[in-house]
Amino acid sequence: MNIELTESQVAIVSALFWLAIAFGILAWLYHKKPAPLRVTLEHSKRGLERVRSTVQTVTRWNAERLKSLLFDSFDKPKVCVISNREPYIHNREGALTKLLRPASGLVSALEPIVKACSGLWIAHGSGSADREMSDKNGKLQVPPEKPEYLLKRVWISKEDEDGYYNGFANEGLWPLCHIAHTRPRFSEGDWNKYVKVNQQFAKAMADEKLPGRPVVLVQDYHFALLPKLLKQNRPETLVSLFWHIPWPNAETFGICPWRENLLTGMLASDLIGFHTQFHCNNFFASVERFLEAKVDRETSSVTHQGHVCTIKPFPIGVDWPSPHAIEDSAFEDERLAILAEFGLPSEIKLGVGVDRADYTKGIVERFRSIELFLELHPEWIDRFSFIQIASPCRTKIARYAELSSEIKATAKEINERFAYAKVPPIVLKLKQHSHEQIHKLYRAADFCLVTPLHDGMNLVAKEFVSARSDMRGVLILSHFAGAAMELDHALLVNPYSANECAKAIHQAIMMPPSEQAERMRIMGEQVSERNIYAWAGSFLSEISEVSRRKGLRTSLFKREKEHLKATS
Ligand code: F6P
């Protein structure tokens, strides 16, 4: 067949021909360029691991990266942490002076920042031998064995401590912010001590006369008034506040007779951090309800009395890789040693719980779920035990003393109920344990129960994951811990439901190793990527960004003023 084409038809056909060639070349080039993650995900598991580890070596946060961020973002950074709890406590025990590291996630999270810039840490000197171990200004270099930064201890009288720490902070704000059904108690006397101690810490900071523009990281609900006091003393100070516990809804917060004072004190900060967006939202709602301020959810900021404060979530993390890590091959021997140490046989399934003895941690509820589990699955009697570490805290507060008795009585009652068994269902240790001991327990366990009734984050959940380099063990985690927002491959439970928790315990001890490994691997990625250095890094980056924006605003304002002056 003879097809005759006109000149324009020939032009169209040849254009189409060249277009097709060009498209082919483009498609070939597209497939040749480095594989995007979308494509990588379809690759083999090993390929995926390789890609992930490459990405992590490039982006994973560590102490070095944090240090460079500090020096790149701030001019001769002088970072100062202010917290109630000190990172090193000296106690007198007979003729000996003992050094104690408090069981505090706050301390482990903040120390890398202060170390990185040889900074300053101001805290309450609470140890019985603290005074004799410090100079006349309450100062000493720490860590004692390898000094890297300065600790300044503030001395608080017993009377002030009672009103500020036991009273307003822990009998008022603590139950106010946690939904754990313990009624907050507010008194004028405690409030006055809270104000006084906040002023005392502001003075301790002012006395330092730090050069340049100090960056102050105020920690927690003990110091809601401090940001304002610091700004009054030295307006150029960059002040941030991290609130380690939840923030309640506006209605609940409104119970506090000094709600406006607290919000005003906090909003003098340049940056406020919470663990979750949910707590930021509750904070915005409280500000809207009780202050005349402009809340801007778009920019996550509040303008109050002409000052702009940014409010954002920064979920706190743990050290990764774990500083207490051991070879995977040593796990089995260590597990046998732990079981022997606690007087337990080697062939059992072991659960652990590690908490401060606090009513928000749901320890009594947890014991009841263990009782129910054994009731529903009697085949596990004698083949199961649960070790609970509960470190005593805030013992001068009546509710805490009551709780200790309640914890002891419940464990005893349950063990007596199963007294015929050779293996006790619950082994309770009401005493503080070292980080090393706790990590041994994490590694020996088949599952870890982290079931707070309400918690800002809960670092035990993340520590358990960081301890399981062997990819074994199951995390059972409360929906009401901030950590549940990230660790959705744990078995998530409602701690108020003994039935749900008992079912999860059964699921955990029956879980095949392959499923344990898969869940642990995913949670491990989350915990390693959002480690403590990532937390500190993102918080400091935000402070530096806030300061940059403020500098810009001030210079624009100045220029505008000069312009107005010149043209008037
Ligand atoms: O979880 C809130 C918190 O204040 C932490 O920041 C702190 O490490 C922990 O409670 C311990 O409390 P305390 O210092 O009262 O023993």
Side-chain angles (χ1 to χ4, degrees):
M1 196 171 57
N2 216 354
I3 301 170
E4 291 241 348
L5 295 175
T6 64
E7 229 171 76
S8 58
Q9 280 170 327
V10 169
I12 290 171
V13 169
S14 70
L16 281 174
F17 172 74
W18 287 113
L19 253 175
I21 297 241
F23 185 75
I25 292 171
L26 276 176
W28 179 74
L29 279 176
Y30 176 77
H31 283 286
K32 267 205 77 176
K33 78 176 182 174
L37 194 63
R38 177 178 55 80
V39 177
T40 318
L41 285 173
E42 289 150 22
H43 284 182
S44 68
K45 201 170 151 203
R46 209 192 277 156
L48 179 61
E49 300 292 44
R50 213 177 35 240
V51 169
R52 281 212 174 107
S53 63
T54 327
V55 171
Q56 282 170 2
T57 46
V58 177
T59 60
R60 170 121 21 100
W61 279 92
N62 55 25
E64 274 316 302
R65 191 170 162 203
L66 184 63
K67 198 168 177 170
S68 1
L69 173 105
L70 257 170
F71 284 85
D72 291 349
S73 314
F74 302 96
D75 182 29
K76 297 196 196 82
K78 204 66 202 165
V79 174
C80 173
V81 168
I82 304 182
S83 70
N84 173 70
R85 187 62 61 207
E86 55 182 338
Y88 297 89
I89 307 176
H90 284 105
N91 275 330
R92 166 118 341 271
E93 280 181 26
L96 296 176
T97 304
K98 288 226 165 139
L99 181 69
L100 186 80
R101 294 280 283 147
S104 162
L106 180 157
V107 169
S108 356
L110 286 154
E111 200 168 38
I113 310 183
V114 201
K115 277 185 177 172
C117 63
S118 310
L120 170 69
W121 191 315
I122 304 180
H124 171 209
S126 57
S128 50
D130 272 356
R131 275 184 198 263
E132 54 195 90
M133 299 307 290
S134 326
D135 70 12
K136 63 178 188 329
N137 298 314
K139 292 183 186 170
L140 70 158
Q141 288 288 335
V142 288
E145 66 288 358
K146 184 179 170 256
E148 285 182 78
Y149 65 94
L150 188 65
L151 170 63
K152 176 175 177 170
R153 287 167 168 160
V154 174
W155 312 119
I156 304 177
S157 71
K158 282 284 156 234
E159 208 192 3
D160 288 351
E161 185 185 352
D162 212 38
Y164 140 80
Y165 174 78
N166 293 320
F168 195 77
N170 287 317
E171 284 192 292
L173 290 180
W174 180 268
L176 180 80
C177 291
H178 289 89
I179 311 168
H181 311 287
T182 289
R183 190 176 167 159
R185 198 188 64 82
F186 291 111
S187 88
E188 189 89 28
D190 288 350
W191 167 251
N192 292 335
K193 301 291 186 215
Y194 186 82
V195 175
K196 184 176 169 197
V197 173
N198 271 249
Q199 286 164 344
Q200 207 181 328
F201 273 80
K203 179 167 182 319
M205 175 68 203
D207 287 348
E208 285 309 302
K209 299 196 171 45
L210 295 181
R213 192 175 189 199
V215 180
V216 186
L217 311 178
V218 179
Q219 303 302 309
D220 237 345
Y221 60 101
H222 310 91
F223 296 120
L225 308 177
L226 195 50
K228 186 168 173 194
L229 298 168
L230 293 172
K231 285 281 189 185
Q232 277 168 351
N233 286 343
R234 215 169 143 181
E236 77 276 18
T237 314
L238 267 174
V239 182
S240 63
L241 169 66
F242 194 81
W243 197 263
H244 290 259
I245 63 176
W247 189 272
N249 63 42
E251 210 165 22
T252 305
F253 178 68
I255 293 171
C256 179
W258 296 278
R259 59 199 185 193
E260 287 87 0
N261 309 54
L262 292 174
L263 291 174
T264 304
M266 292 170 78
L267 284 171
S269 316
D270 297 295
L271 175 67
I272 299 178
F274 292 97
H275 289 300
T276 67
Q277 183 63 50
F278 185 68
H279 298 146
C280 295
N281 295 347
N282 279 349
F283 183 77
F284 288 139
S286 304
V287 172
E288 271 166 341
R289 179 87 66 98
F290 301 113
L291 289 185
E292 270 186 40
K294 185 177 148 236
V295 174
D296 185 343
R297 286 180 170 75
E298 275 300 301
T299 57
S300 289
S301 65
V302 172
T303 308
H304 180 239
Q305 298 175 343
H307 172 83
V308 184
C309 172
T310 302
I311 294 116
K312 285 194 173 171
F314 299 90
I316 205 165
V318 295
D319 208 349
W320 185 287
S322 164
H324 310 285
I326 57 164
E327 290 295 318
D328 289 356
S329 56
F331 270 60
E332 192 46 32
D333 286 348
E334 192 184 68
R335 174 183 158 95
L336 294 175
I338 283 286
L339 289 168
E341 184 187 326
F342 284 87
L344 297 168
S346 54
E347 291 307 315
I348 59 163
K349 289 284 181 187
L350 180 70
V352 296
V354 178
D355 305 85
R356 286 184 301 106
D358 194 298
Y359 53 86
T360 57
K361 303 293 179 186
I363 300 173
V364 172
E365 291 78 357
R366 188 179 303 169
F367 288 175
R368 290 294 172 207
S369 68
I370 290 168
E371 179 182 29
L372 182 63
F373 159 71
L374 290 175
E375 218 172 275
L376 297 173
H377 296 282
E379 70 278 14
W380 285 102
I381 295 171
D382 270 341
R383 295 160 61 210
F384 169 96
S385 195
F386 183 79
I387 300 177
Q388 174 69 52
I389 304 295
S391 38
C393 69
R394 305 175 191 169
T395 43
K396 290 194 182 127
I397 301 174
R399 179 69 187 95
Y400 284 80
E402 244 172 63
L403 178 81
S404 287
S405 318
E406 214 182 317
I407 292 175
K408 273 190 254 175
T410 316
K412 186 163 174 266
E413 184 203 313
I414 296 171
N415 283 342
E416 277 172 4
R417 187 175 160 194
F418 297 95
Y420 57 89
K422 287 188 230 57
V423 180
I426 295 170
V427 178
L428 173 64
K429 298 286 171 197
L430 257 170
K431 111 182 215 312
Q432 197 186 326
H433 286 62
S434 69
H435 293 283
E436 285 74 18
Q437 286 167 319
I438 288 169
H439 277 257
K440 283 184 184 177
L441 273 174
Y442 289 147
R443 288 192 290 262
D446 293 287
F447 68 94
C448 181
L449 270 177
V450 183
T451 52
L453 305 180
H454 199 194
D455 217 328
M457 172 54 70
N458 196 305
L459 290 181
V460 171
K462 294 188 174 183
E463 277 174 6
F464 177 66
V465 172
S466 82
R468 300 313 297 252
S469 54
D470 63 337
M471 300 288 138
R472 295 292 295 271
V474 180
L475 175 63
I476 300 177
L477 178 61
S478 161
H479 282 293
F480 309 126
M485 306 279 166
E486 297 168 73
L487 303 178
D488 51 1
H489 278 72
L491 299 183
L492 294 179
V493 291
N494 175 352
Y496 289 91
S497 163
N499 202 34
E500 226 178 86
C501 295
K503 268 193 193 155
I505 294 174
H506 189 245
Q507 188 183 346
I509 59 181
M510 298 302 287
M511 191 181 285
S514 58
E515 186 182 342
Q516 292 180 29
E518 186 55 10
R519 287 175 183 267
M520 240 344 141
R521 189 180 61 75
I522 295 171
M523 291 193 289
E525 275 165 20
Q526 288 158 333
V527 175
S528 70
E529 273 162 34
R530 294 179 197 172
N531 60 26
I532 34 171
Y533 305 102
W535 175 77
S538 57
F539 197 71
L540 286 170
S541 307
E542 190 64 42
I543 299 180
S544 119
E545 181 53 28
V546 162
S547 133
R548 197 190 59 80
R549 280 200 301 265
K550 286 207 165 153
L552 210 67
R553 226 176 286 138
T554 319
S555 59
L556 280 177
F557 183 65
K558 248 194 202 157
R559 233 181 292 158
E560 212 169 292
K561 245 170 114 184
E562 278 162 14
H563 176 74
L564 275 177
K565 222 167 148 192
T567 53
S568 65

